[in-house]
Amino acid sequence: MPATIRDVARLAGVSPSTVSRALSLPHVVNPTTRARVMAAADSLGYAPNKAARGLITGRTGNIGLVVPDLANPFFPSVVKGVQARAVESDVAVFLADSDEDAAAEIGLVRALAKQVDGLILCSPRSSDHELIGIAQETNVVLINRLVEGVPAVTFDNEEGMRLAVDHLVALGHRRIAWVGGPKASWSNRHRKIGLYSAVHDHRVELAPVGSFQPTYEGGMAAADQVVATRATAVIAYNDLVAIGLLARLHARGISVPDDLSVVGIDDIAMSRMARPALTTVRLPKQKSGRLAVELLLGLLEDRDPGSISLRATLHGELMVRASSGVAPDSAHP
Amino acid sequence: MPATIRDVARLAGVSPSTVSRALSLPHVVNPTTRARVMAAADSLGYAPNKAARGLITGRTGNIGLVVPDLANPFFPSVVKGVQARAVESDVAVFLADSDEDAAAEIGLVRALAKQVDGLILCSPRSSDHELIGIAQETNVVLINRLVEGVPAVTFDNEEGMRLAVDHLVALGHRRIAWVGGPKASWSNRHRKIGLYSAVHDHRVELAPVGSFQPTYEGGMAAADQVVATRATAVIAYNDLVAIGLLARLHARGISVPDDLSVVGIDDIAMSRMARPALTTVRLPKQKSGRLAVELLLGLLEDRDPGSISLRATLHGELMVRASSGVAPDSAHP
DNA sequence: ACGTGTGCTGCAAAGGATTGCAGTGATCAA
DNA sequence: TTGATCACTGCAATCCTTTGCAGCACACGT
């Protein structure tokens, strides 16, 4: 039903080859001819069939994006960034949601791999081994995960946690609780490292309360243990957990930030709207998506690796809001 | 790099045609041959090239999904539903975000239309006229929008508002404020209709306070006008607006639900976590996505229209939470 | 022994676009 | 006038699959 290159050729009175060249290599065809072709093309509303082109050029002009769970407010932001950057380069995006399931993730990747030029895997749940395997077969860029030899854009988690700790220490806190995320999580590991290093440097106490689900419920579950540590501040694995903490603390009549300061990391939209508004470390989520696309597009240009940078690290920014305040007993220690 | 049908054919000692048939029409090839082909195929990890197949069959096995804004928590749920249903039928999904821009929306549709079997447009911002035009060229299913002659899955907004009003009236409220959404919005129009009809039937007063952005900020902006109406309850255009109301009311020292009950519609994840938790009408968002895919797949099967239902209406469910309570003066009217 | 039917399989075209190579015609120099 | 150069343009092959049609071999009935 849509116009083909032949229709345009016939209407312009030239051969299909000329149409193809007029559109993609404008300088090699006679300006008069080109004008005629152009006119014919947009009188028919012609646009080349990407699939057909892909067959011969080996490039589809499509990329794939896999995320663990769109219901987690972190990921839509990343998707949006990928989207925005992709349309700028006239690239279409396949989206897949693995539902936090590593096996499903692999399946989606396999299904997508054949019809895209490259893949962006955001916070992949698969093992390093599997990811390396995938990276050998396809062009891959990781977001929020680092694997030997695979291009990636990551957040500086260590620095982010340091920002949080610096902030709390400046407010006079000397004993800080930590609500950890899933043990298997790459970012949990790195956040923890940054945290330990920061508290060590400041010579303040750390009270870890274990691993929890990275959800609102996880935060609710962790709250009582946090209270039991007698810390005056708590840093949560992420904002969702922090908001869960806020809810449970309120229910128990513990005042934030007067009795306890709460700090998260991510800065999802919800954090601004929490009560009290959540102090957190803003991670440039959309930017990570944009950057991943740029990395991927770069990979596709020069086939020779090494010519372009394969790593990008994004920095967080402390957003001081109402959930953090001076330590309760800092006036009379 | 990936194996082609010819590689499989060579390995199995048959012609490409036989391979093709062995995989898609198993009953027409000799069982022995088929076994040999199968073995060859998965020893090479062969999967047919969708683009090449699409070229000849006219079916790509891909669908497109366009949403106005992924940052709005309503849409990721829909996307997730579409996704989930699509993978079940081995269909891949192109996702595009129009950023609330009608012109961009059309552009994305045009770009996508050529490489998909059909399109799902969620809450499209374009005019009826444009949508009809698109529907003529491509298979289209709308979500959350009704246009003459175009298949669609919608929510029963009228009924949803009635649920909200019934609830408030039962709690003794006699004067209800309404914070409207964007004038151009299809769902705003229908929610308003349902609302007017419900309050009319119950013979209670309605105090509309105008149109606001469908955002947290919109809700903040509307709050003071709501208070000025002296209504004892307010229904917001959606949950985001309701949560904005909650925030501003709290800031002004107005207690919810003691002084004022607040009800939203959508039931986004955030609503459960609001303080107080928001009473709202849950719209089956994921389900709408699943259903849209089914409708679209149905359209692709039988080309003859009329054989399948072109419309689906989904019903909301009242989620009573802490933001609504008995009317303040209902004990002594 | 011959014709017919049956069950598989292969040939070749088609689908839309790109691209190396060859051909056309014009222009210019000798 | 002829030969060479140049700027364009067209032919045809190619990418990977699918599918209508034809062909082959075999078995069976007569």
Side-chain angles (χ1 to χ4, degrees):
Chain A
M1 188 100 271
T4 76
I5 200 171
R6 253 190 289 270
D7 300 327
V8 179
R10 202 173 320 125
L11 184 59
V14 297
S15 79
S17 344
T18 304
V19 176
S20 173
R21 279 187 281 252
L23 297 173
S24 49
L25 308 158
H27 56 281
V28 313
V29 314
N30 185 305
T32 321
T33 317
R34 174 160 36 126
R36 209 145 30 94
V37 171
M38 292 305 200
D42 58 34
S43 105
L44 268 64
Y46 170 77
N49 180 322
K50 275 192 173 191
R53 166 189 290 166
L55 256 193
I56 179 159
T57 61
R59 291 272 301 264
T60 61
N62 299 326
I63 63 176
L65 171 60
V66 182
V67 299
D69 181 16
L70 274 172
N72 179 333
F74 184 88
F75 298 110
S77 299
V78 177
V79 175
K80 192 154 179 150
V82 168
Q83 260 298 307
R85 184 60 187 79
V87 300
E88 285 173 17
S89 293
D90 199 29
V91 164
V93 180
F94 278 109
L95 178 70
D97 180 314
S98 70
D99 235 338
E100 299 279 1
D101 178 349
E105 190 172 85
I106 299 291
L108 292 168
V109 166
R110 295 247 175 280
L112 246 36
K114 277 122 192 158
Q115 39 187 343
V116 299
D117 296 337
L119 245 28
I120 296 175
L121 271 40
C122 185
S123 310
R125 297 335 193 193
S126 305
S127 68
D128 284 19
H129 181 71
E130 284 167 320
L131 292 173
I132 289 172
I134 292 166
Q136 274 162 203
E137 296 170 12
T138 326
N139 293 304
V140 174
V141 172
L142 266 25
I143 296 180
N144 197 29
R145 174 82 176 258
L146 226 39
V147 172
E148 182 66 27
V150 185
V153 7
T154 52
F155 301 104
D156 191 335
N157 284 300
E158 285 84 348
E159 183 198 54
M161 293 315 269
R162 184 166 294 270
L163 254 28
V165 173
D166 288 354
H167 171 64
L168 289 174
V169 169
L171 287 170
H173 296 277
R174 291 279 165 269
R175 183 168 168 78
I176 300 173
W178 158 243
V179 178
K183 287 233 171 59
S185 153
W186 181 88
S187 45
N188 184 56
R189 220 151 47 236
H190 286 264
R191 286 173 187 183
K192 197 164 165 182
I193 291 171
L195 183 67
Y196 274 79
S197 149
V199 298
H200 176 264
D201 292 352
H202 280 296
R203 303 189 198 296
V204 297
E205 284 180 85
L206 183 71
V209 300
S211 281
F212 292 83
Q213 284 302 103
T215 59
Y216 181 74
E217 286 70 23
M220 302 258 294
D224 300 310
Q225 294 188 44
V226 169
V227 173
T229 65
R230 315 204 57 78
T232 60
V234 54
I235 298 178
Y237 167 67
N238 71 12
D239 280 7
L240 231 33
V241 171
I243 292 170
L245 284 173
L246 252 29
R248 177 67 186 153
L249 292 173
H250 174 75
R252 284 197 47 185
I254 293 162
S255 161
V256 174
D258 296 337
D259 299 332
L260 185 63
S261 287
V262 177
V263 176
I265 172 161
D266 278 358
D267 194 28
I268 57 180
M270 208 180 292
S271 303
R272 230 175 68 246
M273 312 176 194
R275 191 178 314 156
L278 185 68
T279 292
T280 186
V281 177
R282 169 176 296 173
L283 264 24
K285 298 170 283 299
Q286 283 205 217
K287 190 165 182 187
S288 74
R290 298 191 74 91
L291 224 58
V293 175
E294 272 164 26
L295 240 60
L296 187 54
L297 260 26
L299 279 180
L300 301 178
E301 295 284 311
D302 344 69
R303 312 291 305 171
D304 55 331
S307 69
I308 64 160
S309 145
L310 297 176
R311 290 281 152 85
T313 304
L314 264 21
H315 299 275
E317 178 188 4
L318 184 74
M319 307 300 292
V320 177
R321 293 198 275 243
S323 72
S324 59
V326 293
D329 48 2
S330 67
H332 38 86
Chain B
M1 189 99 271
T4 78
I5 200 172
R6 253 192 288 271
D7 300 327
V8 179
R10 203 174 317 128
L11 185 58
V14 297
S15 79
S17 344
T18 303
V19 175
S20 174
R21 279 188 280 252
L23 297 173
S24 50
L25 308 159
H27 56 281
V28 313
V29 316
N30 185 304
T32 321
T33 318
R34 175 161 34 124
R36 207 145 32 93
V37 170
M38 292 305 199
D42 58 35
S43 106
L44 269 63
Y46 171 77
N49 180 322
K50 274 193 174 192
R53 165 189 291 168
L55 211 46
I56 180 159
T57 62
R59 292 272 303 265
T60 61
N62 299 145
I63 64 175
L65 170 60
V66 183
V67 298
D69 180 17
L70 274 172
N72 180 334
F74 182 88
F75 298 110
S77 297
V78 177
V79 175
K80 191 152 179 151
V82 168
Q83 260 301 305
R85 183 61 187 79
V87 301
E88 285 173 17
S89 292
D90 199 29
V91 163
V93 180
F94 279 108
L95 178 69
D97 179 316
S98 70
D99 236 337
E100 298 280 0
D101 179 349
E105 190 172 85
I106 299 290
L108 291 169
V109 166
R110 296 245 175 279
L112 246 36
K114 276 123 193 156
Q115 39 187 343
V116 299
D117 296 337
L119 244 28
I120 296 175
L121 270 36
C122 185
S123 309
R125 297 333 194 194
S126 305
S127 69
D128 284 18
H129 181 73
E130 283 168 321
L131 292 174
I132 289 173
I134 292 167
Q136 275 164 201
E137 297 171 14
T138 326
N139 293 305
V140 174
V141 172
L142 266 25
I143 296 180
N144 196 27
R145 174 82 175 259
L146 225 38
V147 172
E148 182 66 28
V150 184
V153 7
T154 52
F155 301 103
D156 190 336
N157 284 299
E158 285 84 349
E159 182 198 55
M161 294 315 269
R162 185 166 293 270
L163 255 27
V165 173
D166 286 354
H167 171 64
L168 290 174
V169 169
L171 288 170
H173 296 277
R174 291 277 166 270
R175 184 169 168 76
I176 299 172
W178 158 243
V179 179
K183 287 232 171 60
S185 153
W186 181 87
S187 45
N188 183 55
R189 220 152 46 235
H190 286 264
R191 287 173 187 183
K192 198 165 164 181
I193 291 171
L195 183 66
Y196 274 78
S197 150
V199 298
H200 175 265
D201 292 351
H202 280 294
R203 304 191 196 297
V204 297
E205 283 181 87
L206 183 70
V209 299
S211 281
F212 292 83
Q213 284 300 105
T215 59
Y216 179 75
E217 286 71 22
M220 303 258 293
D224 300 311
Q225 294 187 43
V226 169
V227 173
T229 64
R230 315 203 57 77
T232 60
V234 54
I235 298 178
Y237 166 66
N238 69 14
D239 281 6
L240 232 32
V241 171
I243 292 170
L245 284 173
L246 252 28
R248 177 68 185 153
L249 292 172
H250 175 75
R252 283 198 46 188
I254 294 162
S255 161
V256 174
D258 296 338
D259 299 332
L260 186 63
S261 286
V262 176
V263 176
I265 174 164
D266 278 358
D267 194 28
I268 57 180
M270 209 180 291
S271 303
R272 230 175 67 246
M273 312 177 194
R275 191 180 312 158
L278 185 68
T279 292
T280 186
V281 177
R282 170 176 296 174
L283 264 23
K285 300 169 283 298
Q286 283 205 216
K287 191 165 181 187
S288 74
R290 299 191 73 91
L291 224 56
V293 175
E294 271 164 28
L295 241 60
L296 187 53
L297 260 24
L299 280 180
L300 301 178
E301 294 285 311
D302 344 67
R303 312 287 308 169
D304 55 331
S307 69
I308 64 160
S309 145
L310 298 175
R311 290 280 152 85
T313 305
L314 265 21
H315 299 274
E317 178 188 3
L318 184 73
M319 307 299 292
V320 177
R321 292 199 275 242
S323 72
S324 58
V326 293
D329 49 0
S330 67
H332 37 85

mmCIF file of all heavy atoms in Angstrom, chain B residues 232 255-261 325-328:
data_model
loop_
_atom_site.group_PDB
_atom_site.id
_atom_site.type_symbol
_atom_site.label_atom_id
_atom_site.label_comp_id
_atom_site.label_asym_id
_atom_site.label_seq_id
_atom_site.Cartn_x
_atom_site.Cartn_y
_atom_site.Cartn_z
ATOM 1 N N THR B 232 -16.977 20.375 51.414
ATOM 2 C CA THR B 232 -16.409 19.481 52.430
ATOM 3 C C THR B 232 -15.650 18.328 51.784
ATOM 4 O O THR B 232 -15.063 17.496 52.466
ATOM 5 C CB THR B 232 -17.512 18.889 53.324
ATOM 6 O OG1 THR B 232 -18.425 18.151 52.498
ATOM 7 C CG2 THR B 232 -18.254 19.996 54.060
ATOM 8 N N SER B 255 -6.906 19.870 57.652
ATOM 9 C CA SER B 255 -6.763 18.440 57.891
ATOM 10 C C SER B 255 -7.605 17.612 56.916
ATOM 11 O O SER B 255 -8.788 17.863 56.718
ATOM 12 C CB SER B 255 -7.184 18.135 59.330
ATOM 13 O OG SER B 255 -7.474 16.768 59.474
ATOM 14 N N VAL B 256 -6.948 16.615 56.321
ATOM 15 C CA VAL B 256 -7.635 15.670 55.440
ATOM 16 C C VAL B 256 -7.640 14.325 56.134
ATOM 17 O O VAL B 256 -6.570 13.868 56.570
ATOM 18 C CB VAL B 256 -6.906 15.572 54.083
ATOM 19 C CG1 VAL B 256 -7.526 14.486 53.214
ATOM 20 C CG2 VAL B 256 -6.915 16.916 53.353
ATOM 21 N N PRO B 257 -8.763 13.673 56.336
ATOM 22 C CA PRO B 257 -10.086 14.027 55.808
ATOM 23 C C PRO B 257 -10.982 14.783 56.797
ATOM 24 O O PRO B 257 -12.143 15.004 56.474
ATOM 25 C CB PRO B 257 -10.687 12.647 55.544
ATOM 26 C CG PRO B 257 -10.144 11.810 56.649
ATOM 27 C CD PRO B 257 -8.773 12.349 56.950
ATOM 28 N N ASP B 258 -10.438 15.163 57.952
ATOM 29 C CA ASP B 258 -11.332 15.755 58.948
ATOM 30 C C ASP B 258 -12.011 17.026 58.451
ATOM 31 O O ASP B 258 -13.231 17.196 58.602
ATOM 32 C CB ASP B 258 -10.561 16.028 60.253
ATOM 33 C CG ASP B 258 -10.061 14.720 60.876
ATOM 34 O OD1 ASP B 258 -10.653 13.662 60.549
ATOM 35 O OD2 ASP B 258 -9.094 14.749 61.642
ATOM 36 N N ASP B 259 -11.231 17.943 57.871
ATOM 37 C CA ASP B 259 -11.837 19.173 57.371
ATOM 38 C C ASP B 259 -12.346 19.011 55.943
ATOM 39 O O ASP B 259 -13.333 19.611 55.541
ATOM 40 C CB ASP B 259 -10.810 20.312 57.397
ATOM 41 C CG ASP B 259 -10.314 20.579 58.812
ATOM 42 O OD1 ASP B 259 -11.084 20.319 59.763
ATOM 43 O OD2 ASP B 259 -9.154 21.025 58.970
ATOM 44 N N LEU B 260 -11.626 18.217 55.178
ATOM 45 C CA LEU B 260 -11.912 18.110 53.749
ATOM 46 C C LEU B 260 -11.525 16.716 53.262
ATOM 47 O O LEU B 260 -10.426 16.235 53.562
ATOM 48 C CB LEU B 260 -11.094 19.176 53.001
ATOM 49 C CG LEU B 260 -11.308 19.362 51.511
ATOM 50 C CD1 LEU B 260 -12.730 19.824 51.212
ATOM 51 C CD2 LEU B 260 -10.304 20.377 50.957
ATOM 52 N N SER B 261 -12.421 16.084 52.541
ATOM 53 C CA SER B 261 -12.098 14.789 51.947
ATOM 54 C C SER B 261 -11.563 15.007 50.538
ATOM 55 O O SER B 261 -12.026 15.897 49.829
ATOM 56 C CB SER B 261 -13.346 13.906 51.884
ATOM 57 O OG SER B 261 -13.677 13.433 53.169
ATOM 58 N N GLY B 325 -13.371 10.849 54.429
ATOM 59 C CA GLY B 325 -14.034 10.495 55.683
ATOM 60 C C GLY B 325 -15.398 11.164 55.762
ATOM 61 O O GLY B 325 -15.815 11.838 54.811
ATOM 62 N N VAL B 326 -16.064 10.973 56.880
ATOM 63 C CA VAL B 326 -17.403 11.551 57.008
ATOM 64 C C VAL B 326 -17.324 13.072 56.966
ATOM 65 O O VAL B 326 -16.338 13.675 57.383
ATOM 66 C CB VAL B 326 -18.091 11.113 58.323
ATOM 67 C CG1 VAL B 326 -18.378 9.621 58.294
ATOM 68 C CG2 VAL B 326 -17.233 11.463 59.519
ATOM 69 N N ALA B 327 -18.372 13.651 56.425
ATOM 70 C CA ALA B 327 -18.407 15.104 56.294
ATOM 71 C C ALA B 327 -18.316 15.740 57.673
ATOM 72 O O ALA B 327 -18.909 15.240 58.633
ATOM 73 C CB ALA B 327 -19.678 15.530 55.588
ATOM 74 N N PRO B 328 -17.573 16.830 57.805
ATOM 75 C CA PRO B 328 -17.312 17.449 59.105
ATOM 76 C C PRO B 328 -18.584 17.782 59.897
ATOM 77 O O PRO B 328 -18.643 17.536 61.089
ATOM 78 C CB PRO B 328 -16.525 18.719 58.751
ATOM 79 C CG PRO B 328 -16.438 18.779 57.283
ATOM 80 C CD PRO B 328 -16.847 17.470 56.714
#
